[in-house]
Amino acid sequence: MNFIILLLPIIAIVLMFRSQKKRQAQMQQMQTALEPGAGVRTIGGLYAQVKAVNDETVELEIAPGVVTHFTKSAIAAVLDPQEYDAIINGRPEDDELSEPEAEDADAAPVEDKPLTLTKDSAEKGDAEGGAPASK
């Protein structure tokens, strides 16, 4: 019984070190696989495109014409081109290629009036799309 009590913490420690070593190996492999043109996310949550890879640093373009230098260890993830495009442009690449769906002919046109929160629109009430008058 005493043997099991001593053995369990040792097994837990070995498993923790093993998983940490795996994560370090994956990070090292990802950092060595960096190449110009890849989309990345830094540990601070900044999305950028790799412009150049040096021995210890990476040059990232965070905006058109704005290049910054980061250490390789600051790169949290290398993104797929489609995932990077979806994050940066707000849509996947597939949406650019597809045609917009045809609108129903029976649907009534929707007026695109901006929502205003002025005193005048509150007096108009719901009749003209304003907010209901408060009492």
Side-chain angles (χ1 to χ4, degrees), residues 82-93 95-96:
Q82 291 175 342
E83 182 181 6
Y84 180 75
D85 184 54
I87 292 168
I88 297 301
N89 297 322
R91 65 190 185 292
E93 281 184 359
D95 286 352
E96 290 179 4

Side-chain angles (χ1 to χ4, degrees), residues 19-40:
S19 65
Q20 183 179 2
K21 229 176 191 183
K22 273 186 182 179
R23 275 186 264 131
Q24 285 178 344
Q26 287 175 342
M27 282 296 279
Q28 183 69 28
Q29 180 184 11
M30 187 258 318
Q31 289 172 1
T32 57
L34 283 175
E35 58 186 33
V40 296

Side-chain angles (χ1 to χ4, degrees), residues 98-104:
S98 65
E99 296 180 16
E101 295 180 14
E103 296 182 19
D104 293 335

